[in-house]
Amino acid sequence: MKIHEYQARNLFKKYGIPVPDGVVCHSIEDVREKIPNDDKLRVIKAQVHVGGRGKAGGVKLARTREEAIEKAGQILGMDIKGLTVEKVLVAEAVDIEKEFYVGLINDRNSKSVTLMASAEGGVDIEEVAKTSPEKIIKLSIDPTLGLMDWQARKIALQLMNDPAQIRQAASILSKLYKLYIETDASLAEINPLVLTPDKRVLAIDGKMNFDDNALFRQSEVLAMREVTPDEQKEIDASEKGLSYIKLNGNIGCMVNGAGLAMATMDMIKLYGGEPANFLDIGGSSNPQKVIDAMNILLSDTSVKAVMINIFGGITRCDDVARGLVAALKSIHTDMPIVVRLSGTNSREGLEIIKEFGLPTVSTMSEAAKKAIQLSKRKV
Amino acid sequence: MSILINKDTKVIVQGITGRDGAFHTSKMKDYGTNIVGGISPGKGGSDVGGIPVFNTVGEAVKATNAEASVIFVPAPFAADAILEASFAGVGLVICITEGIPVQDMIKVTPILKQNGTKLIGANCPGLITPGECLIGILPSMIFTPGNIGFISRSGTLTYEVVNMLTEAGLGQTTCVGIGGDPVSGLYYRDLLEMFENDPATEAVVLIGEIGGDAEEQAAQYIKVHMKKPVVAFIAGQSAPAGKRMGHAGAIISSGSGTAEEKIKAFTAAGVPVAKEPGEIPGLVKQKLGL
């Protein structure tokens, strides 16, 4: 789960990580009300769940209150990569002497939370990682001991020179780790962490993601959730026991199992088609699940053909076939559908589908080719 | 021969009285798995279909000398169940549970190492030595004894490919579903080593997925240490790069994790990578000179 920058800032503040003053505004009136009439330099930042907002014009500087109102008006309502900006963060702009990068992530390779830091902060940190990986400090944290003070200090020492700054930076690292663990985060970044000319260390921009598996015990985090329409579809699906991710192609896929669903998408691509989605219906022959899955696929207007790919394991193919037929009888659609069943009782299953009048195939590759062919049919 | 489990392996079931636990316990028992007990706190002294139930893993191990435990406990309590088994001295733990918080698995990892516990999963279908022992939720009818070792991160894709192997006359020594969670127990590398040392295994099929660098590590291991042939398939070659996690995800993985990188690593290690699952049996036969 993702949160906005202003929400990450609120969490930073709660854990004692210093951030510049700022307020979140939903409208121009809001800006007028919340921003005092002075000549402080401010930065107006779009709050949307996509990267690259700076390049899209979603971050602007303002020298006066009037200018802040004007710039906020330009950003609010703006479209960034298909998302409408509904909120802006108006924050005090600070002078920067030096920029750093600090991040925490669940690293599957070392099976630990890994801290990363670099004296080369800013937006081009990924470029730094590619071209000069030695400039990124990495530390795998022992989950039992946590980030030890001396470790935080050691990293701070590699970033800063002055003892007071080192203390500030080390304390920020420790606080960020505490926040990360206590909220079941999967990512926490401060980019940039800055040093100001008056020698303060501040978090200018923050990004946090959270582990969906842990939301059951993170009610405060869950309360911050805001979803895009595509994500809403994914969440609705997951509430029905389905795992759905929208993609850009035109062949709808319904598969049991995530690995098989991925292999199905690969197969479609291999034969020159484009999958419209990833959809895993899990291991059940419950007709309601198939109906729900079908409704999701049919609500996507770009879908031109549907490929159903089921491998019957403990769930038998004839049960799945009966579920499919019951589902398709209740949904009236002209959508071309190809069904491929394999595994336990597949012969009986295919017989049921054939009787119902749908094309059936027995291998994945045939199914993919057939679905691609049907998707190109003129209506 | 086989790896990890055989007909003598004594197995206990944590969460035996739950719906899934009870259902799959009867399936495993039907297959011939030596299920010696189950755990359900507060229900000790009762039985499930003739299998004695204990309150704690410790009691179960003391009474039965169980060597392996399979976990069907709900996600919020699953990491604790793994720890209980590990501290009770169970050598092999198989966790079927899906949806365990990643931080919980990170905390468990060093404890398993300290106690010398091998973990399969979580979020996995389990493992099987065909004809001898099945632990987990695998559909037994598609497996047949033979000389192919099998390792996979996925569930149904495993069944799909195993079914193809069986239909092509290629039986299996042991098939292991290592699970798809970001942080899990045994990885490919650990299992490849076991298959290399298992006299009955003549070739290994490895099914990988995008994300992480377990496949790259496997390729490196094969290149340096393995004499037996390995055939691979990587799922997710068409998955969009869009589902990423900020800068940190890209930095931590820099240069690995994509299907392209994984295929490159395997090819460099002399491992043929199937373009689609249907090619796997043919590639295995070619490698075995059949």
Side-chain angles (χ1 to χ4, degrees):
Chain A
M1 185 197 122
K2 294 178 204 167
I3 58 171
H4 289 298
E5 176 194 3
Y6 80 90
Q7 294 169 316
R9 275 171 49 102
N10 289 343
L11 286 172
F12 288 175
K13 270 198 275 189
K14 190 175 157 196
Y15 278 80
I17 298 168
V19 295
D21 287 336
V23 286
V24 62
C25 299
H26 296 77
S27 63
I28 298 175
E29 293 69 43
D30 220 8
V31 182
R32 212 167 262 143
E33 218 169 89
K34 289 175 179 164
I35 303 300
N37 198 359
D38 57 28
D39 284 345
K40 268 193 186 162
L41 185 64
R42 293 191 170 85
V43 57
I44 327 288
K45 298 158 123 181
Q47 300 293 296
V48 278
H49 284 315
V50 288
R53 61 184 176 168
K55 281 175 193 151
V59 179
K60 293 182 195 297
L61 278 172
R63 286 170 204 291
T64 62
R65 176 170 177 268
E66 281 319 303
E67 211 183 332
I69 294 165
E70 184 198 327
K71 296 281 169 70
Q74 290 168 8
I75 296 173
L76 283 162
M78 178 187 260
D79 179 286
I80 300 181
K81 295 183 185 168
L83 295 177
T84 309
V85 180
E86 286 165 353
K87 283 179 271 205
V88 289
L89 171 69
V90 183
E92 185 193 325
V94 293
D95 288 330
I96 295 171
E97 193 172 290
K98 198 161 171 23
E99 290 187 314
F100 308 90
Y101 169 87
V102 171
L104 286 167
I105 192 168
N106 289 336
D107 176 20
R108 60 200 300 164
N109 301 332
S110 65
K111 302 185 187 182
S112 69
V113 176
T114 295
L115 172 71
M116 288 178 287
S118 177
E120 316 264 327
V123 283
D124 286 329
I125 187 69
E126 284 184 39
E127 200 48 43
V128 176
K130 258 188 226 150
T131 52
S132 29
E134 74 285 352
K135 288 187 178 153
I136 306 219
I137 309 157
K138 284 187 195 171
L139 173 74
S140 194
I141 300 168
D142 182 310
T144 315
L145 293 166
L147 178 66
M148 291 173 263
D149 288 347
W150 67 267
Q151 290 177 313
R153 219 160 43 230
K154 189 178 165 194
I155 288 179
L157 275 161
Q158 288 170 270
L159 302 177
M160 321 247 173
N161 299 315
D162 177 84
Q165 294 158 21
I166 291 163
R167 268 197 302 278
Q168 288 181 63
S171 147
I172 288 172
L173 292 178
S174 298
K175 287 166 180 163
L176 188 67
Y177 179 74
K178 186 170 192 283
L179 164 62
Y180 186 92
I181 295 298
E182 290 183 355
T183 56
D184 272 300
S186 54
L187 171 85
E189 277 182 332
I190 303 176
N191 188 32
L193 177 75
V194 304
L195 177 64
T196 62
D198 56 353
K199 308 302 173 199
R200 285 182 303 155
V201 182
L202 289 174
I204 298 291
D205 195 349
K207 183 179 172 71
M208 286 192 78
N209 291 349
F210 301 91
D211 178 3
D212 290 339
N213 285 351
L215 291 177
F216 71 87
R217 62 184 179 201
Q218 296 291 348
S219 54
E220 255 181 74
V221 171
L222 193 57
M224 289 189 283
R225 173 142 87 179
E226 259 177 48
V227 293
T228 63
D230 276 355
E231 281 169 346
Q232 189 56 50
K233 262 188 159 177
E234 290 167 17
I235 291 166
D236 289 346
S238 102
E239 278 165 5
K240 294 186 174 105
L242 308 166
S243 171
Y244 173 80
I245 297 169
K246 166 104 181 71
L247 302 169
N248 296 324
N250 60 9
I251 296 174
C253 308
M254 189 195 303
V255 189
N256 66 335
L260 190 60
M262 272 202 273
T264 303
M265 290 158 47
D266 294 347
M267 189 79 82
I268 290 171
K269 204 137 183 174
L270 183 67
Y271 290 110
E274 282 294 335
N277 62 279
F278 167 96
L279 175 56
D280 170 12
I281 62 167
S284 140
S285 54
N286 183 352
Q288 191 53 47
K289 254 190 175 177
V290 181
I291 294 174
D292 291 338
M294 229 22 226
N295 282 330
I296 291 173
L297 294 184
L298 294 175
S299 74
D300 178 353
T301 51
S302 52
V303 170
K304 298 287 177 253
V306 169
M307 169 173 170
I308 299 176
N309 184 14
I310 305 290
F311 188 90
I314 285 169
T315 322
R316 291 160 25 196
C317 284
D318 49 341
D319 280 345
V320 175
R322 272 186 280 273
L324 274 177
V325 168
L328 294 172
K329 273 184 182 158
S330 80
I331 303 169
H332 299 282
T333 175
D334 297 331
M335 182 67 69
I337 298 170
V338 183
V339 182
R340 181 266 178 169
L341 297 172
S342 181
T344 315
N345 289 12
S346 63
R347 249 213 340 248
E348 292 85 338
L350 288 170
E351 210 49 53
I352 293 168
I353 300 286
K354 224 176 276 171
E355 247 167 62
F356 180 65
L358 281 181
T360 59
V361 289
S362 57
T363 71
M364 265 169 82
S365 50
E366 279 176 73
K369 286 180 205 162
K370 182 89 187 162
I372 292 165
Q373 184 197 332
L374 289 172
S375 73
K376 288 177 180 157
R377 199 179 58 170
K378 295 257 175 350
V379 183
Chain B
M1 283 289 283
S2 55
I3 66 164
L4 293 165
I5 57 169
N6 58 38
K7 62 182 188 333
D8 301 319
T9 307
K10 294 193 189 86
V11 183
I12 50 173
V13 182
Q14 287 174 260
I16 192 167
T17 52
R19 196 195 53 175
D20 291 346
F23 175 75
H24 290 288
T25 299
S26 78
K27 292 260 171 202
M28 288 187 275
K29 210 176 159 216
D30 288 349
Y31 193 70
T33 303
N34 188 13
I35 308 271
V36 295
I39 289 88
S40 187
K43 292 180 186 161
S46 61
D47 74 293
V48 172
I51 298 163
V53 175
F54 301 89
N55 283 322
T56 65
V57 180
E59 286 169 33
V61 170
K62 208 170 165 192
T64 66
N65 289 322
E67 303 152 289
S69 180
V70 57
I71 295 175
F72 290 97
V73 170
F77 320 107
D80 185 59
I82 297 172
L83 290 173
E84 187 184 356
S86 175
F87 281 108
V90 178
L92 178 66
V93 177
I94 298 95
C95 187
I96 308 300
T97 309
E98 185 180 341
I100 303 176
V102 180
Q103 300 288 0
D104 289 5
M105 292 309 294
I106 287 176
K107 273 188 210 137
V108 162
T109 300
I111 307 296
L112 297 176
K113 200 171 171 192
Q114 167 202 307
N115 292 350
T117 314
K118 293 189 180 82
L119 173 70
I120 310 276
N123 188 15
C124 78
L127 75 167
I128 180 171
T129 293
E132 298 193 29
C133 183
L134 182 163
I135 305 181
I137 59 172
L138 297 153
S140 59
M141 57 293 257
I142 58 172
F143 298 89
T144 195
N147 54 18
I148 309 295
F150 192 98
I151 320 168
S152 170
R153 242 157 91 171
S154 118
T156 42
L157 184 57
T158 302
Y159 312 158
E160 176 85 42
V161 177
V162 166
N163 194 47
M164 289 173 182
L165 290 173
T166 296
E167 281 178 357
L170 296 164
Q172 306 90 37
T173 48
T174 303
C175 300
V176 188
I178 60 174
D181 276 358
V183 173
S184 50
L186 297 184
Y187 278 11
Y188 298 111
R189 198 206 156 283
D190 311 298
L191 293 157
L192 285 169
E193 189 175 350
M194 294 179 202
F195 280 127
E196 177 73 6
N197 295 326
D198 171 40
T201 301
E202 287 178 18
V204 181
V205 172
L206 186 159
I207 308 292
E209 269 176 27
I210 49 168
D213 78 345
E215 289 83 358
E216 284 86 338
Q217 284 182 31
Q220 190 55 32
Y221 179 80
I222 294 165
K223 197 173 172 180
V224 180
H225 299 284
M226 278 190 79
K227 293 193 181 69
K228 293 177 184 174
V230 181
V231 170
F233 174 74
I234 304 293
Q237 299 180 30
S238 65
K243 294 262 155 189
R244 39 174 291 167
M245 298 168 65
H247 295 300
I251 298 170
I252 198 85
S253 66
S254 51
S256 69
T258 65
E260 209 181 5
E261 286 297 330
K262 289 175 193 300
I263 292 168
K264 213 167 103 188
F266 279 126
T267 309
V271 174
V273 182
K275 278 201 268 316
E276 56 145 303
E279 288 182 6
I280 295 169
L283 289 172
V284 173
K285 284 188 170 174
Q286 213 175 315
K287 279 280 178 186
L288 288 175
L290 296 173

